[in-house]
């Protein structure tokens, strides 16, 4: 290696600016806003990858190249930080420079980048997330949808835009006293604002949050190898009731009035759950009952109805749906991947299409 060259063969260049402003370590980057940085400047003006120099001048938005857990309890998502202080940093951080006159747009962009929606979008569109590494190339960040002007926004979107700016103003006013424990609360606010901005409905939100909170942490390498991935965790009555709610919602699109779906918990064990769904002629709202009967009684009904050539080992053939008289029995393992709200919506479409096909052959 020649003198004044990096290991990669880059020749050293001089950038005096970095010796006069604090140096920010990548590990110090915060979510949404950054407290005042009191670090010493970088000790030398020599740099090997001289990039966009104005990117060090405040105000700007800082984004790491990779995704990461904002807290131990929140999902894996992109992290963006609105900075009001000039800083130097390494190439592991990316800077979006803006003018003061565009500060409201930048505040909204900061909120947008921290949202579950953007993480979901990147998971499905990025060339590396979920395939190789949890890294977001700069070119793919530039492809994110972003409003060019406020004038074209709907009234609801304009309201959400204002809420995003107000949230950032509030956080900036207390940036030096923010507690890390409150990050999750702020991110919940961020998600609500962005969902309202794009006018997403409840089913849209469920699809996004299933991906961000359950699927992504399960498919990407965990920092704690002893921690069970969310998709493999065990479910409980609350999860089954949520699944039943969304199964009912999905089926209601196919079922004519005044019929309603009633779902009851027939039984469960340490590894299996059985639900029973029935159509009722009633004006009462759809219901879920968790007054379960014995699992063995429910299993006996299912076993007696199954064709002889079908295995009775429900671990080998998970997610069985079978009609016993006028009731649909749903047999699933207790693992969370079978009880996501997106699973419920997919099951509803599958059940409805099967019934319609059967009706067409009769």
């Amino acid at each position: 290696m020649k003198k004044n060259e990096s290991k990669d063969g880059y020749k050293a260049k001089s950038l005096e600016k970095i010796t006069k402003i604090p140096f920010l370590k990548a590990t110090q980057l915060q979510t949404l806003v950054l407290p005042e940085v009191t670090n010493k400047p970088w000790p030398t003006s020599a740099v090997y990858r001289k990039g966009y120099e104005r990117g060090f001048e405040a105000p700007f938005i800082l984004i790491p190249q990779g995704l990461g857990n904002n807290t131990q309890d929140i999902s894996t998502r992109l992290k963006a930080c609105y900075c009001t202080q000039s800083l130097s940093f390494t190439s592991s951080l990316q800077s979006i420079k803006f003018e003061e006159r565009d500060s409201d747009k930048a505040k909204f962009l900061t909120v947008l980048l921290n949202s579950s929606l953007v993480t979901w979008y990147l998971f499905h569109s990025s060339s590396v997330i979920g395939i190789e590494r949890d890294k977001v190339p700069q070119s793919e960040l530039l492809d994110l949808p972003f409003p060019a002007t406020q004038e074209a926004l709907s009234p609801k979107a304009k309201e959400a835009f204002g809420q995003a700016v107000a949230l950032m103003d509030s956080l900036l006013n207390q940036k030096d006293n923010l507690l890390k424990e409150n990050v999750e609360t702020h991110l919940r606010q961020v998600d609500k604002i962005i969902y309202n901005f794009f006018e997403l409905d409840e089913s849209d939100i469920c699809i996004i949050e299933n991906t961000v909170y359950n699927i992504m942490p399960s498919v990407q390498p965990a920092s704690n190898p002893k921690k069970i991935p969310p998709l493999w965790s065990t479910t409980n009555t609350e999860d089954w009731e949520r699944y039943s709610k969304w199964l009912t919602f999905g089926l209601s699109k196919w079922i004519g009035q005044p019929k309603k779906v009633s779902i009851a918990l027939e039984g469960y064990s340490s590894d299996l759950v059985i639900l029973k769904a029935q159509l009722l002629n009633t004006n009462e709202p759809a219901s879920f009952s968790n007054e379960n009967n014995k699992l063995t009684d429910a299993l006996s009904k299912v076993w007696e109805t199954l064709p002889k050539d079908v295995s009775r080992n429900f671990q080998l053939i998970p997610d069985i749906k079978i009609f016993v008289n006028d009731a649909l029995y749903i047999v699933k393992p207790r693992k969370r991947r079978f009880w996501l709200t997106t699973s419920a919506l997919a099951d509803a479409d599958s059940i409805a299409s099967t019934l319609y096909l059967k009706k067409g052959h009769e």
Side-chain angles (χ1 to χ4, degrees):
M1 183 177 69
K2 296 180 181 179
K3 188 177 180 180
N4 294 330
E5 278 192 4
S6 70
K7 294 179 181 179
D8 299 326
Y10 289 97
K11 292 184 178 180
K13 298 178 182 179
S14 179
L15 185 60
E16 290 295 330
K17 182 183 299 183
I18 63 173
T19 65
K20 300 175 183 178
I21 55 179
F23 173 74
L24 178 71
K25 298 177 182 178
T27 54
Q28 292 179 295
L29 189 69
Q30 301 294 314
T31 301
L32 293 169
V33 295
L34 187 69
E36 183 180 359
V37 178
T38 58
N39 299 349
K40 293 181 179 180
W42 191 250
T44 173
S45 63
V47 295
Y48 295 101
R49 295 183 181 182
K50 190 174 180 180
Y52 180 57
E53 296 178 34
R54 288 197 64 205
F56 295 135
E57 299 173 8
F60 53 79
I61 301 170
L62 275 182
I63 310 166
Q65 290 189 19
L67 303 182
N69 286 330
N70 286 286
T71 72
Q72 292 181 344
D73 301 317
I74 201 69
S75 60
T76 298
R77 64 170 82 196
L78 189 67
K79 181 190 291 185
C81 181
Y82 188 102
C83 301
T84 57
Q85 179 184 8
S86 294
L87 300 165
S88 65
F89 42 85
T90 63
S91 58
S92 63
L93 299 178
Q94 305 170 91
S95 171
I96 300 177
K97 171 65 181 171
F98 59 90
E99 303 300 332
E100 286 286 358
R101 63 177 179 272
D102 295 322
S103 61
D104 282 357
K105 282 186 179 180
K107 290 169 184 174
F108 175 79
L109 178 58
T110 304
V111 170
L112 177 64
L113 290 172
N114 279 286
S115 69
S116 291
L117 175 61
V118 161
T119 298
W120 173 86
Y121 179 88
L122 290 171
F123 180 72
H124 289 282
S125 63
S126 174
S127 58
V128 290
I129 295 179
I131 301 173
E132 182 185 354
R133 291 170 291 172
D134 57 348
K135 181 179 178 180
V136 183
Q138 187 180 55
S139 59
E140 293 178 359
L141 280 176
L142 297 175
D143 290 335
L144 290 172
F146 186 75
T149 62
Q150 284 185 257
E151 289 72 20
L153 300 179
S154 68
K156 192 170 184 178
K158 286 182 180 179
E159 181 183 2
F161 188 99
Q163 291 171 345
V165 174
L167 173 62
M168 290 301 299
D169 286 339
S170 173
L171 295 177
L172 286 167
N173 288 335
Q174 51 182 321
K175 64 179 182 178
D176 294 326
N177 300 306
L178 285 177
L179 298 175
K180 291 184 179 180
E181 291 78 6
N182 293 334
V183 170
E184 184 174 355
T185 301
H186 300 322
L187 290 176
R188 294 293 185 188
Q189 290 178 272
V190 162
D191 283 343
K192 185 176 180 180
I193 289 170
I194 297 304
Y195 295 154
N196 288 335
F197 180 85
F198 288 100
E199 300 186 33
L200 304 182
D201 62 27
E202 202 172 353
S203 58
D204 296 328
I205 294 170
C206 281
I207 291 171
I208 292 167
E209 296 193 344
N210 270 192
T211 301
V212 175
Y213 289 93
N214 292 292
I215 296 173
M216 289 184 65
S218 298
V219 300
Q220 293 174 340
S223 56
N224 181 5
K226 295 182 180 180
K227 187 176 181 180
I228 299 175
L231 290 181
W232 291 98
S233 61
T234 301
T235 53
N236 53 35
T237 307
E238 183 180 342
D239 298 301
W240 309 330
E241 183 171 359
R242 186 184 304 110
Y243 169 90
S244 299
K245 169 192 169 184
W246 284 100
L247 180 65
T248 301
F249 172 81
L251 288 172
S252 66
K253 297 185 296 182
W254 300 89
I255 298 170
Q257 297 292 336
K259 292 184 181 294
K260 299 288 183 181
V261 178
S262 173
I263 299 179
L265 176 62
E266 282 292 284
Y268 64 90
S269 66
S270 60
D271 57 356
L272 280 180
V273 180
I274 299 182
L275 300 180
K276 182 175 75 172
Q278 288 180 293
L279 281 180
L280 303 176
N281 286 307
T282 177
N283 291 322
E284 295 295 322
S287 62
F288 173 79
S289 170
N290 62 2
E291 296 178 2
N292 68 90
N293 300 314
K294 291 182 180 180
L295 180 70
T296 51
D297 294 340
L299 280 176
S300 296
K301 294 178 183 178
V302 174
W303 277 334
E304 291 170 4
T305 311
L306 283 174
K308 292 182 179 180
D309 58 344
V310 175
S311 171
R312 267 60 177 170
N313 187 336
F314 295 127
Q315 295 296 335
L316 294 178
I317 310 177
D319 207 9
I320 286 179
K321 305 175 188 70
I322 188 166
F323 278 94
V324 179
N325 298 322
D326 63 343
L328 173 66
Y329 283 78
I330 301 171
V331 185
K332 288 176 174 280
R334 285 188 67 164
K335 300 302 181 186
R336 186 172 302 280
R337 68 190 184 97
F338 296 100
W339 298 96
L340 301 177
T341 51
T342 45
S343 300
L345 294 173
D347 286 347
D349 289 343
S350 173
I351 293 167
S353 61
T354 300
L355 291 175
Y356 272 85
L357 285 173
K358 183 178 179 182
K359 185 177 180 181
H361 288 295
E362 290 178 351

